[in-house]
Amino acid sequence: MLLHDIGAGRTRQGAATIRVGRSFIAKVVRAAAGLPPADEQVPVTVEMTANEDGEIWRRRFGDFPLDTRVRPGKAPATIEETLGPVTAILRLVPDETGVQQIPEGYRLLGLSLPGVLWPDLDVRESAEGGVYRFKVVMRLWGVLIQSYEGWLETTDGT
């Protein structure tokens, strides 16, 4: 998936639909993580910038910012993505339709979280015909926290 091959930096634009869970636990987790509110076909901008240990991804869902740090994982075919105090260790699994990101672990403030506290994260991405598509669904204990699905333009074919 060449979207992650950003060189010195890259900016992409597109749109996404954001769905949010309505439960108390969903509201608490979304507020603590600083996740964007529900919206339909909200404009999305993603600015990816290389730094000394990986990349900074600055996403904007409309006017709502969501910044993460992405770096290579310690194990082969893994990345570590940090949002606030939480780091997800994700295995990249390519298949015929794109790439799936499968959680291998989570850390909170650098400390490993026990499996019972891991959110269920379903992340898929693909690219075809100059369009990068993504879908992210997060659940905790079977309860929807948030999902977003959309696309970004990739006019240079990457």
Side-chain angles (χ1 to χ4, degrees):
M1 187 59 45
L2 294 178
L3 189 78
H4 292 274
D5 181 17
I6 66 164
R10 183 172 285 172
T11 299
R12 301 290 192 210
Q13 296 181 341
T17 295
I18 304 166
R19 307 241 187 272
V20 299
R22 302 284 180 208
S23 70
F24 175 75
I25 188 72
K27 291 175 184 178
V28 168
V29 171
R30 282 196 329 274
L35 298 174
D39 209 338
E40 293 285 333
Q41 292 303 303
V42 63
V44 175
T45 300
V46 180
E47 177 185 311
M48 298 159 276
T49 307
N51 68 8
E52 61 279 352
D53 68 343
E55 304 165 359
I56 303 295
W57 284 45
R58 290 184 173 88
R59 300 166 184 86
R60 291 194 73 75
F61 294 88
D63 292 330
F64 195 95
L66 180 67
D67 296 347
T68 62
R69 187 178 72 232
V70 180
R71 64 180 174 267
K74 294 179 176 100
T78 63
I79 60 171
E80 295 184 5
E81 186 162 10
T82 302
L83 171 63
V86 176
T87 298
I89 299 97
L90 304 165
R91 178 163 307 284
L92 303 178
V93 180
D95 60 29
E96 64 279 350
T97 62
V99 176
Q100 184 173 14
Q101 297 180 19
I102 299 174
E104 298 267 314
Y106 292 90
R107 291 191 302 269
L108 175 63
L109 299 172
L111 301 173
S112 292
L113 287 175
V116 70
L117 297 177
W118 291 11
D120 177 24
L121 195 58
D122 183 10
V123 180
R124 299 242 359 126
E125 54 187 60
S126 63
E128 184 177 341
V131 177
Y132 166 81
R133 298 194 183 282
F134 56 89
K135 181 177 181 181
V136 177
V137 179
M138 181 191 313
R139 297 178 185 277
L140 183 61
W141 305 315
V143 174
L144 176 67
I145 303 299
Q146 179 142 12
S147 71
Y148 58 94
E149 182 171 3
W151 59 272
L152 299 169
E153 56 77 27
T154 59
T155 54
D156 61 2
T158 62

